[in-house]
Amino acid sequence: MPERAATHPTTSLGRFPFSLSAGELRSETERVLTDAGTELAALRATPATVADLLRPLDGILLELRNVSQHTSLLFQVHPDPEVRAASREASESVDRFFNAFRIDRRVYDRLREIDLGAADGPTRRAVEKLVREMRRAGVERTDAERAELLRLTNEIDATSNEFSQRISDGTRSIEVDSAGALAGLPPDYITAHAPGPDGNIRITSKYPDALPILTYCESADVRRRLLRALLTVAHPENLPVLARMLALRHDFARRLGYPDYATFATEDKMLASPAEVDALLDRLSGLLTAPARADLDRFLARKRRDEPSARGLEPWDAAYWGDGFYDTKIRTEEFGVDPRRLRAYLPYGAIRDGLFTLCQDLFGITFVRRADAATWHPSVETYDVHRDGRLLGRCYLDLVPRDGKYNHAAEFDVRVGIAERSLPQAALVCNFLDPGVPAETARMEYRNVITFFHEFGHLLHALLSGHGPWLYTAMSYIEWDFVEAPSQLFEEWARDPATLGRFARNPDTGEPIPADLLRQVVAAESLGRASRWLRQVALSGISLEYYRRDPTGIDTDAVFRKIWESRFPERAEPEYHPQAAWGHLAGYTALYYTYVWSAVIARDLLTPFGARGSLTDPETARRYAAEILSPGSTRPAAELVRSFLGRDVSFDAFSAWAVAGASPGPRNL
């Protein structure tokens, strides 16, 4: 078959603009799948060469991948439930096509016949990764075995989407009878939550509603009820869906000869077995348990100043989800950092623009607003991204919560960037801004500024890596347990006083954030760090255990409590069921440890900046972009790290940072 003609890459969405109706989305997806099937059939008879087989195959798979990403995004964000439903159907249709392709024995055999002797490194790696993916899908099995594996894979995808949709659609709420019950909350929060016709104030489990309650509300009962609402989203309806998802993946792995799904999932990662993950978690537990216990004791001591008879901390007393009540009290009283005062200097518009300026200084990247670009919702912002005078790609910022929208924070690829074929496009989907406040002046919580930077790190990775030669060497195919390292590293610019001080400003007065307050913000940030990361270790152990065991008759509540209490020095509250709303169990599966392992890598990647004495050293930043971000997955992640650091990963930087104690600072700044 003739090779698809290369076109000048643009930010066009082609046959899939965001304006498609539900019916149009279904019909366009069907046309793409029909065309791809015809083209793929013709490829089975072409010569087994890079030009005749690999290049056109990569084009077919790229187009399908882009449709998959487009519909997966709309499934999570579109305001019209009919379009969300059609997007889910379209996404699953493309998934089914990919699943069938991965077990196509004739294509597999032809790929293995390609002579790669004269091929460059990225081309060899693309073929090796594609062949490995097909082998792990079961392509070498008998016809009957492949048919059963395909059935299982399709059912896994549908079940995972069902699990995710129940989370997106699920919202819980509580009511309070007066504004007095919200004592401690910032004035703009109280203003934005007016009483309803019955005189009651409704507070939902959506992040802009819930997290300020847990941080500031003086009423322990309100905090208790709200945390329960937050941690019972999609419960109990998602428990049987979760059990089915675990069972299907276990069955799939066993049919391929693996003892469990965790072994299958880790096989092609940096940490290549559950035993290696266990070793990581054990090492981090040994490092963090004692300082985490000291954190919790410190929070309890502060609680006893209010309640002398208190016997212990409750989950709604300290950091359980986001910042907690008594750790916030300590930051205010001992460090002089009142997050409510800090919010005055963190209007969204200034933070966003400051972030753009930072990217220009570090990487030579500029962002140009495209007010004329059509999106899936009026609140979405669109930017063309340029570097060195050329268009690099496009990004979308969807930061306002709404019904039916993904309710966490994540970066979604919209289009894969491939040299001479397509430019990368990516979206940040977060829930930072109160829909009742104009976005430009809406104040952000400092923790949300850090999350904003974190997700922006993913976006930069997608944009800078989106110019490689092959789909299977794109960023989205890098080892999954490395993928959070660049995003966790980028958080540090939000914690850097010199950087934050450049754009944190009160728009009402023009006053920049006081330098003393900045220093104390950084000092106070270490408070509770050990306990926060030990929680991540515990969650990593739970994720691994769910997928490492035989799920027959599994009680996911009991497993959650058992692993939590073996890894964290506080009980798990029996009335909470966070696993029902833990979307990572569908996407990351057994690999939630990615966050703690990537944090170890990220702290080490910061050491060259430290050696230069500045996080904003442009030479180090450009080298980091060239050696870590831009290559995508053209080389193994360990090689990228070794290239940048000149050595293998060390735990030293993470160990020093994670257990750094916060000492009391001056008051009343």
Side-chain angles (χ1 to χ4, degrees):
M1 62 173 290
E3 181 179 347
R4 296 181 178 209
T7 58
H8 182 67
T10 71
T11 54
S12 168
L13 295 170
R15 293 159 63 175
F16 285 84
F18 294 124
S19 58
L20 292 184
S21 67
E24 291 168 335
L25 199 58
R26 292 186 178 97
S27 60
E28 283 298 327
T29 301
E30 186 60 35
R31 277 193 282 272
V32 168
L33 292 174
T34 299
D35 292 347
T38 301
E39 294 172 4
L40 188 60
L43 276 183
R44 298 187 183 106
T46 60
T49 67
V50 170
D52 294 315
L53 177 61
L54 183 62
R55 180 65 65 184
L57 176 61
D58 195 71
I60 295 169
L61 298 180
L62 172 63
E63 183 168 11
L64 290 169
R65 176 78 176 181
N66 283 335
V67 176
S68 175
Q69 291 181 156
H70 184 94
T71 54
S72 295
L73 171 69
L74 294 187
F75 167 50
Q76 298 285 2
V77 301
H78 204 282
D80 184 342
E82 292 187 7
V83 174
R84 291 201 301 273
S87 298
R88 174 181 168 179
E89 293 169 18
S91 175
E92 290 178 359
S93 294
V94 177
D95 287 344
R96 287 193 293 270
F97 188 101
F98 265 113
N99 293 341
F101 160 75
R102 292 186 185 103
I103 58 169
D104 188 321
R105 185 60 190 255
R106 285 178 292 175
V107 173
Y108 176 73
D109 289 341
R110 303 306 304 286
L111 283 167
R112 296 178 71 197
E113 292 171 8
I114 295 177
D115 182 0
L116 296 172
D120 60 20
T123 300
R124 288 195 301 273
R125 183 159 169 79
V127 174
E128 290 165 1
K129 291 176 71 175
L130 179 52
V131 166
R132 181 181 65 187
E133 182 178 274
M134 296 178 79
R135 177 187 58 77
R136 281 166 48 82
V139 70
E140 295 178 344
R141 301 287 165 147
T142 68
D143 290 349
E145 289 172 325
R146 291 204 308 274
E148 182 58 20
L149 287 166
L150 179 59
R151 183 195 68 78
L152 277 172
T153 304
N154 289 335
E155 192 173 352
I156 287 167
D157 289 342
T159 304
S160 298
N161 282 340
E162 180 183 356
F163 185 78
S164 298
Q165 184 166 10
R166 289 179 184 274
I167 296 171
S168 295
D169 292 345
T171 301
R172 300 288 188 264
S173 65
I174 66 170
E175 290 188 348
V176 298
D177 58 9
S178 69
L182 302 180
L185 272 297
D188 60 331
Y189 182 96
I190 295 174
T191 299
H193 292 79
D198 60 357
N200 291 331
I201 299 171
R202 181 172 177 262
I203 309 294
T204 74
S205 59
K206 294 183 183 297
Y207 284 8
D209 267 7
L211 298 187
I213 291 286
L214 299 176
T215 304
Y216 306 121
C217 187
E218 297 286 346
S219 170
D221 182 63
V222 173
R223 298 197 309 272
R224 177 190 64 79
R225 292 193 291 131
L226 196 285
L227 183 59
R228 186 181 188 282
L230 185 63
L231 295 179
T232 56
V233 168
H235 178 270
E237 56 269 24
N238 242 354
L239 291 186
V241 183
L242 173 59
R244 186 165 74 251
M245 186 167 65
L246 297 176
L248 289 167
R249 284 185 165 134
H250 183 75
D251 188 10
F252 175 82
R254 295 283 290 177
R255 288 174 184 272
L256 288 172
Y258 297 89
D260 49 60
Y261 191 82
T263 302
F264 171 83
T266 54
E267 180 185 50
D268 58 347
K269 308 304 184 293
M270 294 183 76
L271 301 185
S273 70
E276 291 187 49
V277 178
D278 272 331
L280 169 71
L281 300 183
D282 288 345
R283 180 172 185 172
L284 294 176
S285 291
L287 171 70
L288 296 169
T289 297
R293 181 69 268 173
D295 285 342
L296 298 172
D297 289 344
R298 187 173 183 180
F299 302 153
L300 177 58
R302 175 59 188 85
K303 178 181 179 179
R304 284 176 172 157
R305 287 169 49 192
D306 294 342
E307 302 177 34
S309 61
R311 300 180 62 182
L313 283 174
E314 300 293 348
W316 52 88
D317 286 333
Y320 187 100
W321 193 290
D323 293 333
F325 182 71
Y326 282 109
D327 33 328
T328 298
K329 287 276 191 184
I330 293 172
R331 287 191 179 94
T332 302
E333 297 165 355
E334 297 185 20
F335 294 87
V337 178
D338 185 345
R340 289 164 296 192
R341 180 187 173 204
L342 187 57
R343 292 172 78 251
Y345 300 97
L346 302 175
Y348 162 67
I351 297 300
R352 177 203 59 212
D353 294 346
L355 179 52
F356 290 167
T357 300
L358 174 66
C359 290
Q360 182 172 2
D361 293 345
L362 292 175
F363 309 121
I365 296 172
T366 58
F367 295 80
V368 178
R369 183 77 177 262
R370 289 297 305 270
D372 59 329
T375 64
W376 54 92
H377 191 270
S379 66
V380 177
E381 303 171 22
T382 304
Y383 295 88
D384 279 347
V385 187
H386 300 261
R387 190 184 197 194
D388 299 329
R390 67 186 180 95
L391 185 61
L392 193 69
R394 176 170 284 186
C395 67
Y396 307 87
L397 305 183
D398 183 353
L399 308 182
V400 181
R402 57 183 174 271
D403 289 341
K405 178 187 168 183
Y406 180 79
N407 60 8
H408 195 49
E411 179 267 339
F412 288 81
D413 289 348
V414 180
R415 294 292 185 273
V416 179
I418 300 294
E420 300 181 358
R421 289 185 180 269
S422 61
L423 289 175
Q425 299 187 53
L428 292 195
V429 180
C430 308
N431 293 275
F432 299 146
L433 309 179
D434 192 313
V437 179
E440 292 295 311
T441 58
R443 267 45 169 192
M444 296 183 70
E445 296 287 334
Y446 179 56
R447 60 170 170 258
N448 284 343
V449 174
I450 293 174
T451 301
F452 191 17
F453 274 62
H454 175 101
E455 300 302 343
F456 214 87
H458 284 304
L459 186 145
L460 289 172
H461 199 180
L463 292 172
L464 287 169
S465 67
H467 305 273
W470 303 104
L471 173 63
Y472 275 75
T473 57
M475 182 270 286
S476 54
Y477 286 92
I478 203 164
E479 292 94 324
W480 196 250
D481 52 356
F482 177 76
V483 74
E484 293 292 339
S487 57
Q488 295 199 73
L489 180 146
F490 204 68
E491 293 178 17
E492 292 310 300
W493 277 276
R495 297 187 178 100
D496 178 47
T499 301
L500 193 61
R502 293 165 58 182
F503 49 79
R505 183 178 299 272
N506 187 328
D508 298 330
T509 65
E511 177 195 10
I513 187 169
D516 287 345
L517 178 56
L518 272 177
R519 286 193 293 270
Q520 292 308 107
V521 167
V522 175
E525 200 275 332
S526 63
L527 176 69
R529 185 182 292 152
S531 58
R532 289 196 299 274
W533 280 104
L534 190 59
R535 283 185 176 86
Q536 291 293 83
V537 169
L539 291 171
S540 300
I542 294 164
S543 160
L544 186 68
E545 183 63 18
Y546 278 156
Y547 281 103
R548 181 166 51 184
R549 55 172 291 155
D550 184 341
T552 303
I554 188 172
D555 181 341
T556 55
D557 282 317
V559 172
F560 191 102
R561 289 194 296 270
K562 178 182 178 182
I563 303 301
W564 177 272
E565 292 173 1
S566 72
R567 293 279 187 187
F568 194 79
E570 292 284 334
R571 69 184 176 90
E573 178 59 52
E575 69 173 0
Y576 299 157
H577 310 277
Q579 76 275 22
W582 190 3
H584 293 83
L585 292 175
Y588 280 58
T589 68
L591 309 176
Y592 193 75
Y593 78 87
T594 292
Y595 286 94
V596 292
W597 172 235
S598 291
V600 171
I601 298 171
R603 299 311 306 180
D604 212 14
L605 293 177
L606 282 168
T607 55
F609 289 94
R612 296 297 294 264
S614 172
L615 270 179
T616 53
D617 176 63
E619 181 181 342
T620 307
R622 298 295 178 98
R623 189 167 67 84
Y624 166 74
E627 296 180 4
I628 296 293
L629 301 180
S630 295
S633 62
T634 54
R635 290 184 288 154
E639 286 188 17
L640 302 182
V641 173
R642 198 176 300 118
S643 173
F644 182 63
L645 295 178
R647 55 170 172 77
D648 291 333
V649 172
S650 166
F651 274 74
D652 293 346
F654 179 85
S655 297
W657 172 78
V659 302
S663 58
R667 301 170 185 268
N668 302 322
L669 293 177

